[in-house]
Amino acid sequence: PELEKDIIVPDYCSLSLADAKSTGEVAVNFWFGPPGTVSPLHHDPKNNLLAQVTGSKLIKLASPQQNENVYPNPGMMSNTSQVDVENEENVDLEKYPKFKDAKLEQVVLNPGEMLYIPANHWHFVKSLDTSISLSFWW
């Protein structure tokens, strides 16, 4: 709570508050972790502006058109992938044959940079260093 006054929600988040899915509020999330911290491939129902404060993160992205190729889990966890994309060359293509057709983009997010991740777009995140990030969801 003491740091909250130091966080300014980027104006960009307000530009699309008319989005049909928007509640008009921006949720701010603080992420802190050591090197190697992983958030497996998943998607979120809200737009996300990910701001890197310190350290760097490797991010792999895929559009919703890749759903079939990334094998969403069934049921309540359908926003997560069954495929471990951290080491794509080791994916079991006998178990996940369509993954060979998956189109993932890769970027390293460095301190002072932000990345817009549209709602329902798949993303995998791995901290390359001790890392602090903020995400703004709307």
mmCIF file with all atom_site columns, all heavy atoms in Angstrom, residues 21-35:
data_model
loop_
_atom_site.group_PDB
_atom_site.id
_atom_site.type_symbol
_atom_site.label_atom_id
_atom_site.label_alt_id
_atom_site.label_comp_id
_atom_site.label_asym_id
_atom_site.label_entity_id
_atom_site.label_seq_id
_atom_site.pdbx_PDB_ins_code
_atom_site.Cartn_x
_atom_site.Cartn_y
_atom_site.Cartn_z
_atom_site.occupancy
_atom_site.B_iso_or_equiv
_atom_site.pdbx_formal_charge
_atom_site.auth_seq_id
_atom_site.auth_comp_id
_atom_site.auth_asym_id
_atom_site.auth_atom_id
_atom_site.pdbx_PDB_model_num
ATOM 1   N N   . LYS A 1 21 ? -15.814 -5.356  -22.787 1.00 0.00 ? 21 LYS A N   1
ATOM 2   C CA  . LYS A 1 21 ? -15.510 -6.208  -21.641 1.00 0.00 ? 21 LYS A CA  1
ATOM 3   C C   . LYS A 1 21 ? -15.006 -5.402  -20.438 1.00 0.00 ? 21 LYS A C   1
ATOM 4   O O   . LYS A 1 21 ? -14.824 -5.936  -19.367 1.00 0.00 ? 21 LYS A O   1
ATOM 5   C CB  . LYS A 1 21 ? -14.451 -7.243  -22.021 1.00 0.00 ? 21 LYS A CB  1
ATOM 6   C CG  . LYS A 1 21 ? -14.921 -8.242  -23.047 1.00 0.00 ? 21 LYS A CG  1
ATOM 7   C CD  . LYS A 1 21 ? -13.826 -9.242  -23.337 1.00 0.00 ? 21 LYS A CD  1
ATOM 8   C CE  . LYS A 1 21 ? -14.270 -10.226 -24.393 1.00 0.00 ? 21 LYS A CE  1
ATOM 9   N NZ  . LYS A 1 21 ? -13.230 -11.175 -24.735 1.00 0.00 ? 21 LYS A NZ  1
ATOM 10  N N   . SER A 1 22 ? -14.756 -4.126  -20.622 1.00 0.00 ? 22 SER A N   1
ATOM 11  C CA  . SER A 1 22 ? -14.155 -3.321  -19.570 1.00 0.00 ? 22 SER A CA  1
ATOM 12  C C   . SER A 1 22 ? -15.164 -2.955  -18.490 1.00 0.00 ? 22 SER A C   1
ATOM 13  O O   . SER A 1 22 ? -16.312 -2.646  -18.760 1.00 0.00 ? 22 SER A O   1
ATOM 14  C CB  . SER A 1 22 ? -13.556 -2.041  -20.154 1.00 0.00 ? 22 SER A CB  1
ATOM 15  O OG  . SER A 1 22 ? -13.062 -1.237  -19.111 1.00 0.00 ? 22 SER A OG  1
ATOM 16  N N   . THR A 1 23 ? -14.701 -2.970  -17.252 1.00 0.00 ? 23 THR A N   1
ATOM 17  C CA  . THR A 1 23 ? -15.524 -2.536  -16.130 1.00 0.00 ? 23 THR A CA  1
ATOM 18  C C   . THR A 1 23 ? -15.294 -1.064  -15.850 1.00 0.00 ? 23 THR A C   1
ATOM 19  O O   . THR A 1 23 ? -15.944 -0.478  -14.998 1.00 0.00 ? 23 THR A O   1
ATOM 20  C CB  . THR A 1 23 ? -15.159 -3.325  -14.864 1.00 0.00 ? 23 THR A CB  1
ATOM 21  O OG1 . THR A 1 23 ? -13.804 -3.042  -14.525 1.00 0.00 ? 23 THR A OG1 1
ATOM 22  C CG2 . THR A 1 23 ? -15.363 -4.811  -15.055 1.00 0.00 ? 23 THR A CG2 1
ATOM 23  N N   . GLY A 1 24 ? -14.342 -0.446  -16.557 1.00 0.00 ? 24 GLY A N   1
ATOM 24  C CA  . GLY A 1 24 ? -14.012 0.950   -16.324 1.00 0.00 ? 24 GLY A CA  1
ATOM 25  C C   . GLY A 1 24 ? -12.924 1.120   -15.280 1.00 0.00 ? 24 GLY A C   1
ATOM 26  O O   . GLY A 1 24 ? -12.511 2.230   -14.988 1.00 0.00 ? 24 GLY A O   1
ATOM 27  N N   . GLU A 1 25 ? -12.450 0.035   -14.709 1.00 0.00 ? 25 GLU A N   1
ATOM 28  C CA  . GLU A 1 25 ? -11.399 0.106   -13.705 1.00 0.00 ? 25 GLU A CA  1
ATOM 29  C C   . GLU A 1 25 ? -10.149 -0.591  -14.223 1.00 0.00 ? 25 GLU A C   1
ATOM 30  O O   . GLU A 1 25 ? -10.219 -1.538  -14.999 1.00 0.00 ? 25 GLU A O   1
ATOM 31  C CB  . GLU A 1 25 ? -11.855 -0.549  -12.406 1.00 0.00 ? 25 GLU A CB  1
ATOM 32  C CG  . GLU A 1 25 ? -13.015 0.185   -11.768 1.00 0.00 ? 25 GLU A CG  1
ATOM 33  C CD  . GLU A 1 25 ? -13.281 -0.278  -10.353 1.00 0.00 ? 25 GLU A CD  1
ATOM 34  O OE1 . GLU A 1 25 ? -12.379 -0.881  -9.734  1.00 0.00 ? 25 GLU A OE1 1
ATOM 35  O OE2 . GLU A 1 25 ? -14.382 -0.020  -9.873  1.00 0.00 ? 25 GLU A OE2 1
ATOM 36  N N   . VAL A 1 26 ? -9.002  -0.111  -13.761 1.00 0.00 ? 26 VAL A N   1
ATOM 37  C CA  . VAL A 1 26 ? -7.727  -0.716  -14.123 1.00 0.00 ? 26 VAL A CA  1
ATOM 38  C C   . VAL A 1 26 ? -7.170  -1.390  -12.874 1.00 0.00 ? 26 VAL A C   1
ATOM 39  O O   . VAL A 1 26 ? -6.997  -0.749  -11.833 1.00 0.00 ? 26 VAL A O   1
ATOM 40  C CB  . VAL A 1 26 ? -6.742  0.351   -14.648 1.00 0.00 ? 26 VAL A CB  1
ATOM 41  C CG1 . VAL A 1 26 ? -5.396  -0.282  -14.956 1.00 0.00 ? 26 VAL A CG1 1
ATOM 42  C CG2 . VAL A 1 26 ? -7.312  1.043   -15.881 1.00 0.00 ? 26 VAL A CG2 1
ATOM 43  N N   . ALA A 1 27 ? -6.923  -2.695  -12.966 1.00 0.00 ? 27 ALA A N   1
ATOM 44  C CA  . ALA A 1 27 ? -6.318  -3.437  -11.859 1.00 0.00 ? 27 ALA A CA  1
ATOM 45  C C   . ALA A 1 27 ? -4.806  -3.395  -12.021 1.00 0.00 ? 27 ALA A C   1
ATOM 46  O O   . ALA A 1 27 ? -4.293  -3.609  -13.126 1.00 0.00 ? 27 ALA A O   1
ATOM 47  C CB  . ALA A 1 27 ? -6.814  -4.880  -11.859 1.00 0.00 ? 27 ALA A CB  1
ATOM 48  N N   . VAL A 1 28 ? -4.111  -3.098  -10.929 1.00 0.00 ? 28 VAL A N   1
ATOM 49  C CA  . VAL A 1 28 ? -2.656  -3.043  -10.952 1.00 0.00 ? 28 VAL A CA  1
ATOM 50  C C   . VAL A 1 28 ? -2.121  -4.244  -10.177 1.00 0.00 ? 28 VAL A C   1
ATOM 51  O O   . VAL A 1 28 ? -2.538  -4.505  -9.054  1.00 0.00 ? 28 VAL A O   1
ATOM 52  C CB  . VAL A 1 28 ? -2.141  -1.725  -10.319 1.00 0.00 ? 28 VAL A CB  1
ATOM 53  C CG1 . VAL A 1 28 ? -0.621  -1.689  -10.338 1.00 0.00 ? 28 VAL A CG1 1
ATOM 54  C CG2 . VAL A 1 28 ? -2.722  -0.519  -11.042 1.00 0.00 ? 28 VAL A CG2 1
ATOM 55  N N   . ASN A 1 29 ? -1.210  -4.986  -10.815 1.00 0.00 ? 29 ASN A N   1
ATOM 56  C CA  . ASN A 1 29 ? -0.585  -6.147  -10.189 1.00 0.00 ? 29 ASN A CA  1
ATOM 57  C C   . ASN A 1 29 ? 0.914   -5.922  -10.094 1.00 0.00 ? 29 ASN A C   1
ATOM 58  O O   . ASN A 1 29 ? 1.537   -5.442  -11.048 1.00 0.00 ? 29 ASN A O   1
ATOM 59  C CB  . ASN A 1 29 ? -0.863  -7.407  -11.011 1.00 0.00 ? 29 ASN A CB  1
ATOM 60  C CG  . ASN A 1 29 ? -2.334  -7.695  -11.113 1.00 0.00 ? 29 ASN A CG  1
ATOM 61  O OD1 . ASN A 1 29 ? -2.938  -8.185  -10.181 1.00 0.00 ? 29 ASN A OD1 1
ATOM 62  N ND2 . ASN A 1 29 ? -2.931  -7.351  -12.245 1.00 0.00 ? 29 ASN A ND2 1
ATOM 63  N N   . PHE A 1 30 ? 1.498   -6.288  -8.969  1.00 0.00 ? 30 PHE A N   1
ATOM 64  C CA  . PHE A 1 30 ? 2.932   -6.149  -8.717  1.00 0.00 ? 30 PHE A CA  1
ATOM 65  C C   . PHE A 1 30 ? 3.539   -7.543  -8.731  1.00 0.00 ? 30 PHE A C   1
ATOM 66  O O   . PHE A 1 30 ? 3.084   -8.427  -8.007  1.00 0.00 ? 30 PHE A O   1
ATOM 67  C CB  . PHE A 1 30 ? 3.136   -5.488  -7.344  1.00 0.00 ? 30 PHE A CB  1
ATOM 68  C CG  . PHE A 1 30 ? 4.557   -5.286  -6.945  1.00 0.00 ? 30 PHE A CG  1
ATOM 69  C CD1 . PHE A 1 30 ? 5.231   -4.131  -7.302  1.00 0.00 ? 30 PHE A CD1 1
ATOM 70  C CD2 . PHE A 1 30 ? 5.232   -6.242  -6.195  1.00 0.00 ? 30 PHE A CD2 1
ATOM 71  C CE1 . PHE A 1 30 ? 6.549   -3.915  -6.917  1.00 0.00 ? 30 PHE A CE1 1
ATOM 72  C CE2 . PHE A 1 30 ? 6.547   -6.042  -5.814  1.00 0.00 ? 30 PHE A CE2 1
ATOM 73  C CZ  . PHE A 1 30 ? 7.211   -4.879  -6.171  1.00 0.00 ? 30 PHE A CZ  1
ATOM 74  N N   . TRP A 1 31 ? 4.546   -7.752  -9.578  1.00 0.00 ? 31 TRP A N   1
ATOM 75  C CA  . TRP A 1 31 ? 5.188   -9.068  -9.716  1.00 0.00 ? 31 TRP A CA  1
ATOM 76  C C   . TRP A 1 31 ? 6.659   -8.945  -9.330  1.00 0.00 ? 31 TRP A C   1
ATOM 77  O O   . TRP A 1 31 ? 7.385   -8.120  -9.886  1.00 0.00 ? 31 TRP A O   1
ATOM 78  C CB  . TRP A 1 31 ? 5.077   -9.584  -11.156 1.00 0.00 ? 31 TRP A CB  1
ATOM 79  C CG  . TRP A 1 31 ? 3.678   -9.577  -11.683 1.00 0.00 ? 31 TRP A CG  1
ATOM 80  C CD1 . TRP A 1 31 ? 3.116   -8.650  -12.505 1.00 0.00 ? 31 TRP A CD1 1
ATOM 81  C CD2 . TRP A 1 31 ? 2.658   -10.542 -11.418 1.00 0.00 ? 31 TRP A CD2 1
ATOM 82  N NE1 . TRP A 1 31 ? 1.806   -8.979  -12.782 1.00 0.00 ? 31 TRP A NE1 1
ATOM 83  C CE2 . TRP A 1 31 ? 1.499   -10.127 -12.119 1.00 0.00 ? 31 TRP A CE2 1
ATOM 84  C CE3 . TRP A 1 31 ? 2.605   -11.696 -10.660 1.00 0.00 ? 31 TRP A CE3 1
ATOM 85  C CZ2 . TRP A 1 31 ? 0.307   -10.845 -12.084 1.00 0.00 ? 31 TRP A CZ2 1
ATOM 86  C CZ3 . TRP A 1 31 ? 1.421   -12.409 -10.632 1.00 0.00 ? 31 TRP A CZ3 1
ATOM 87  C CH2 . TRP A 1 31 ? 0.294   -11.991 -11.342 1.00 0.00 ? 31 TRP A CH2 1
ATOM 88  N N   . PHE A 1 32 ? 7.088   -9.769  -8.391  1.00 0.00 ? 32 PHE A N   1
ATOM 89  C CA  . PHE A 1 32 ? 8.470   -9.751  -7.914  1.00 0.00 ? 32 PHE A CA  1
ATOM 90  C C   . PHE A 1 32 ? 8.937   -11.190 -7.811  1.00 0.00 ? 32 PHE A C   1
ATOM 91  O O   . PHE A 1 32 ? 8.228   -12.034 -7.255  1.00 0.00 ? 32 PHE A O   1
ATOM 92  C CB  . PHE A 1 32 ? 8.537   -9.064  -6.538  1.00 0.00 ? 32 PHE A CB  1
ATOM 93  C CG  . PHE A 1 32 ? 9.879   -9.137  -5.877  1.00 0.00 ? 32 PHE A CG  1
ATOM 94  C CD1 . PHE A 1 32 ? 10.953  -8.436  -6.379  1.00 0.00 ? 32 PHE A CD1 1
ATOM 95  C CD2 . PHE A 1 32 ? 10.061  -9.911  -4.744  1.00 0.00 ? 32 PHE A CD2 1
ATOM 96  C CE1 . PHE A 1 32 ? 12.200  -8.493  -5.775  1.00 0.00 ? 32 PHE A CE1 1
ATOM 97  C CE2 . PHE A 1 32 ? 11.302  -9.976  -4.117  1.00 0.00 ? 32 PHE A CE2 1
ATOM 98  C CZ  . PHE A 1 32 ? 12.361  -9.262  -4.637  1.00 0.00 ? 32 PHE A CZ  1
ATOM 99  N N   . GLY A 1 33 ? 10.119  -11.485 -8.375  1.00 0.00 ? 33 GLY A N   1
ATOM 100 C CA  . GLY A 1 33 ? 10.596  -12.856 -8.288  1.00 0.00 ? 33 GLY A CA  1
ATOM 101 C C   . GLY A 1 33 ? 12.042  -13.002 -8.694  1.00 0.00 ? 33 GLY A C   1
ATOM 102 O O   . GLY A 1 33 ? 12.630  -12.109 -9.319  1.00 0.00 ? 33 GLY A O   1
ATOM 103 N N   . PRO A 1 34 ? 12.632  -14.145 -8.337  1.00 0.00 ? 34 PRO A N   1
ATOM 104 C CA  . PRO A 1 34 ? 14.027  -14.423 -8.664  1.00 0.00 ? 34 PRO A CA  1
ATOM 105 C C   . PRO A 1 34 ? 14.181  -14.871 -10.111 1.00 0.00 ? 34 PRO A C   1
ATOM 106 O O   . PRO A 1 34 ? 13.189  -15.151 -10.793 1.00 0.00 ? 34 PRO A O   1
ATOM 107 C CB  . PRO A 1 34 ? 14.375  -15.565 -7.703  1.00 0.00 ? 34 PRO A CB  1
ATOM 108 C CG  . PRO A 1 34 ? 13.085  -16.312 -7.545  1.00 0.00 ? 34 PRO A CG  1
ATOM 109 C CD  . PRO A 1 34 ? 12.019  -15.235 -7.571  1.00 0.00 ? 34 PRO A CD  1
ATOM 110 N N   . PRO A 1 35 ? 15.426  -14.963 -10.589 1.00 0.00 ? 35 PRO A N   1
ATOM 111 C CA  . PRO A 1 35 ? 15.644  -15.492 -11.945 1.00 0.00 ? 35 PRO A CA  1
ATOM 112 C C   . PRO A 1 35 ? 15.032  -16.885 -12.072 1.00 0.00 ? 35 PRO A C   1
ATOM 113 O O   . PRO A 1 35 ? 15.057  -17.672 -11.127 1.00 0.00 ? 35 PRO A O   1
ATOM 114 C CB  . PRO A 1 35 ? 17.166  -15.569 -12.060 1.00 0.00 ? 35 PRO A CB  1
ATOM 115 C CG  . PRO A 1 35 ? 17.704  -14.697 -10.984 1.00 0.00 ? 35 PRO A CG  1
ATOM 116 C CD  . PRO A 1 35 ? 16.675  -14.673 -9.899  1.00 0.00 ? 35 PRO A CD  1
#
